Amino acid sequence: MAKFKSYSTEQGELFPMYLSDWIPEDHLVRLVSDIVDQLDLTVMTNRYSHRGEEAYHPAMLLKLWFYGYATGVFTSRTLRQAMDENIPFRWLCGGHRPDFRTLSDFRKDHLESLPGLFKQVVHIAIQLGYVSLGHVSIDGSKLKAHASKHKSMSRDRMNQEIERLEKEIREALEQAGQIDDQENEEPLSLLPESVTNRQSRLEKIREALRQLEARKPVEESKTPDKDQFNFTDPDSQIMDTKTQGVIQGYNPQIAVDADQGFIVGLQMNPSSSDQHQFQPVLGSIRNITGKVPEKVSADAGYFSADNIQAATKAETDAYIAATRENKQHGNPYDKTNFTYIPETDTYVCPAGQTLIHKYTYYEKDPQKATQWVYMSDACLTCPFQKDCVKSGSGKRRVKRNEGDPIREAMRTKVQSDAGKDIYRLRKAIVEPAWGQMKECQGFRQFHLRGEDKVEGEFVLLALSYNLRKLHSAKYPKPSTVYKRERSAQKRKKAA
């Protein structure tokens, strides 16, 4: 017969007098506490009054939230529960037990102070030598909003719904009038309530339509009927993702330093496009660290002449992957495979035929970029016409604009041997940061609503991520030390 050790749930134990005896010296919670004690919290403390009951110290509440976001506790109720069940949280409280409402109000009231604290933490990392800004990589990731995509409605759908509700209200009121005439008494009790509910919904949709019109007028929209408005979080947008399908969410951006993986720049925007986020993120790096990185890399989502020029103006060496005209990998008839000859102002196609300049568009329109169109009559008899030409004229049209020389120079730069070696590092710099925030910290969805509050929560998430990085840099795991030593040996041999 097998032997087992006896156990009892009523077994008594002698707990230490101090909770700190149960927390190792290299524990993450100790580092969080030490860092917060070094921060300048004057902006927060000045908001408190000397009158009334004593308030919880903002340093204690900050430690709870920072450690909470670093360990996957994102709501005030779960944070309050952790104080009763988790020793590190109890240690941070110092004998106090703030309720969930106090925790929630503190986070909501001090979101605007978090960017300043984030900047202080980054400067601590710089002073410790963990951030050098030698190579910074930029990337974004779409995260779910605290709202359902099923609570969104397009402009066309709202107009249809307004028309339907107005008709139903009119018919219900007419019916109520007929009942009054026939029975000479008050209308049925359900009828006024149904009319009231419809009128309330009608006003909500009308107000949503007014807000959508103020944000994106019909005359300024390319697809006015498809413009969406979410009734739960109006600032969030419908976005298409690679792994989650269509979500209601935001598209935050981060800039990560190559040395230890610290986030040194960030940007929040509800737009699903990355292209217009490059310059704000680059600007945030300067605002937070006081200087621009020596090198910056980004994927094809940021590829544009404006972004390349912005990097040049900022005096940083940019490596931005180029996009393809047809977005088809390996397409032999993509525009990038047509060679431009500056001396003759012509293009040479993959089949060796010459395309000459035929038309010029927007030459006198200052609002639009000038475009030059190149075509060739040889397309009509080319054996590759079916694969190359998509237009009904039977001729391939190649457009060139003022930004093409800038984009072509960047494409050549990234595709060079040196450019490939630098750009190849991008995945190992920025993508692990998103993976750690989503998997290790468990952050998959925002818990606040509205762009301003969501931006504050994202700063809180990035700050907690940097605290984890400070901890891993100060107390590296043996396996990490071994990998770093092996990597240093390989670089020494290669040199």
Side-chain angles (χ1 to χ4, degrees):
M1 183 176 179
K3 296 180 179 180
F4 300 101
K5 292 182 179 181
S6 61
Y7 77 97
S8 173
T9 56
E10 302 299 326
Q11 175 66 42
E13 290 187 9
L14 293 176
F15 283 89
M17 185 175 295
Y18 299 101
L19 290 177
S20 59
D21 293 343
W22 281 40
I23 301 176
E25 290 297 325
D26 60 350
H27 198 281
L28 173 61
V29 73
R30 288 190 180 274
L31 182 136
V32 171
S33 180
D34 292 342
I35 292 296
V36 173
D37 289 338
Q38 297 179 43
L39 300 180
D40 181 7
L41 305 180
T42 306
V43 176
M44 289 185 171
T45 55
N46 286 343
R47 298 182 61 178
Y48 288 83
S49 173
H50 64 279
R51 297 181 178 181
E53 187 179 355
E54 293 179 340
Y56 292 112
H57 200 287
M60 182 195 75
L61 298 176
L62 274 178
K63 292 175 183 179
L64 288 170
W65 277 117
F66 287 174
Y67 184 67
Y69 268 75
T71 56
V73 180
F74 308 118
T75 65
S76 58
R77 292 181 185 272
T78 54
L79 188 58
R80 177 62 186 85
Q81 183 180 359
M83 295 179 205
D84 295 331
E85 302 174 352
N86 194 301
I87 291 176
F89 281 101
R90 294 187 67 175
W91 177 73
L92 287 175
C93 291
H96 296 291
R97 294 291 187 277
D99 59 68
F100 77 91
R101 185 65 64 188
T102 301
L103 295 167
S104 177
D105 290 343
F106 176 82
R107 178 176 60 174
K108 178 182 64 178
D109 295 339
H110 294 282
L111 287 174
E112 59 187 18
S113 303
L114 293 177
L117 302 182
F118 178 83
K119 183 176 181 179
Q120 292 185 52
V121 172
V122 172
H123 278 272
I124 290 175
I126 294 175
Q127 293 170 7
L128 293 174
Y130 297 147
V131 174
S132 66
L133 296 178
H135 183 179
V136 170
S137 185
I138 296 174
D139 196 14
S141 182
K142 298 178 177 65
L143 293 172
K144 289 183 179 180
H146 193 200
S148 171
K149 63 183 178 183
H150 301 294
K151 293 294 183 179
S152 293
M153 193 176 290
S154 66
R155 193 195 306 265
D156 185 50
R157 174 72 185 282
M158 281 191 279
N159 287 322
Q160 293 177 9
E161 195 69 5
I162 289 174
E163 184 178 349
R164 182 185 68 82
L165 289 171
E166 288 177 342
K167 181 180 178 181
E168 289 182 359
I169 292 172
R170 186 168 56 252
E171 292 176 351
L173 292 175
E174 290 175 356
Q175 183 181 1
Q178 293 173 2
I179 293 175
D180 283 342
D181 294 340
Q182 293 174 5
E183 301 182 4
N184 194 22
E185 60 183 22
E186 292 297 323
L188 297 175
S189 59
L190 284 177
L191 193 57
E193 184 178 355
S194 64
V195 172
T196 303
N197 292 340
R198 287 186 174 90
Q199 287 176 337
S200 176
R201 178 171 173 77
L202 179 62
E203 286 304 316
K204 289 181 180 179
I205 296 176
R206 283 174 174 170
E207 177 60 26
L209 191 59
R210 285 192 289 268
Q211 292 185 32
L212 181 60
E213 181 63 25
R215 181 189 306 166
K216 187 180 290 187
V218 174
E219 57 272 12
E220 297 180 6
S221 176
K222 296 180 180 180
T223 57
D225 292 339
K226 296 182 179 180
D227 292 338
Q228 299 274 342
F229 182 90
N230 188 272
F231 288 84
T232 306
D233 186 355
D235 292 334
S236 62
Q237 299 289 332
I238 291 286
M239 299 182 180
D240 190 14
T241 65
K242 295 180 180 178
T243 58
Q244 304 176 70
V246 178
I247 65 169
Q248 187 76 32
Y250 289 88
N251 184 23
Q253 310 283 318
I254 58 173
V256 179
D257 184 75
D259 288 355
Q260 296 285 347
F262 281 86
I263 296 177
V264 294
L266 43 79
Q267 170 73 14
M268 172 58 66
N269 197 289
S271 173
S272 60
S273 173
D274 289 337
Q275 192 172 99
H276 301 294
Q277 312 307 319
F278 181 84
Q279 296 180 46
V281 177
L282 194 61
S284 74
I285 300 174
R286 184 193 293 271
N287 293 335
I288 292 171
T289 65
K291 57 181 181 179
V292 295
E294 297 177 12
K295 296 183 180 66
V296 60
S297 59
D299 62 23
Y302 302 89
F303 187 73
S304 73
D306 291 340
N307 289 341
I308 298 170
Q309 288 178 316
T312 303
K313 186 177 179 180
E315 298 181 352
T316 182
D317 189 15
Y319 294 83
I320 307 176
T323 56
R324 290 182 172 271
E325 183 185 73
N326 296 355
K327 297 183 180 180
Q328 295 178 359
H329 183 69
N331 178 16
Y333 306 106
D334 188 87
K335 178 186 173 181
T336 57
N337 294 325
F338 284 66
T339 305
Y340 179 71
I341 310 299
E343 294 78 12
T344 58
D345 188 25
T346 59
Y347 272 96
V348 176
C349 76
Q353 300 296 332
T354 301
L355 285 73
I356 62 174
H357 175 229
K358 288 287 187 180
Y359 311 104
T360 302
Y361 294 134
Y362 312 125
E363 188 174 11
K364 299 181 180 180
D365 190 347
Q367 302 297 327
K368 298 181 180 179
T370 303
Q371 290 186 352
W372 297 273
V373 180
Y374 298 79
M375 300 174 65
S376 174
D377 294 335
C379 294
L380 298 175
T381 57
C382 180
F384 308 107
Q385 181 194 44
K386 184 177 180 181
D387 298 323
C388 178
V389 181
K390 303 299 180 183
S391 65
S393 65
K395 298 180 182 180
R396 174 65 183 267
R397 299 201 313 170
V398 175
K399 296 180 181 179
R400 184 176 180 82
N401 58 42
E402 297 167 348
D404 275 350
I406 300 172
R407 289 189 288 269
E408 289 169 358
M410 177 58 68
R411 181 180 288 110
T412 302
K413 177 181 178 181
V414 174
Q415 291 178 351
S416 66
D417 292 339
K420 288 179 180 179
D421 291 339
I422 294 173
Y423 181 76
R424 190 180 293 115
L425 299 174
R426 185 197 69 84
K427 289 183 179 181
I429 297 172
V430 67
E431 293 187 5
W434 282 117
Q436 291 175 35
M437 284 188 285
K438 290 181 178 181
E439 293 295 332
C440 299
Q441 296 178 235
F443 194 90
R444 292 285 183 171
Q445 172 182 325
F446 290 105
H447 303 84
L448 302 179
R449 294 170 180 167
E451 185 176 354
D452 293 339
K453 292 182 180 179
V454 167
E455 181 177 2
E457 185 179 13
F458 183 64
V459 174
L460 180 56
L461 174 67
L463 197 155
S464 66
Y465 165 86
N466 279 349
L467 292 176
R468 289 174 61 94
K469 281 296 175 183
L470 279 172
H471 179 260
S472 62
K474 186 176 181 180
Y475 303 106
K477 296 179 180 179
S479 59
T480 304
V481 175
Y482 174 74
K483 290 179 181 178
R484 290 175 182 173
E485 292 176 350
R486 287 290 302 274
S487 179
Q489 292 175 2
K490 289 181 180 180
R491 288 196 299 268
K492 187 176 181 181
K493 289 180 179 180

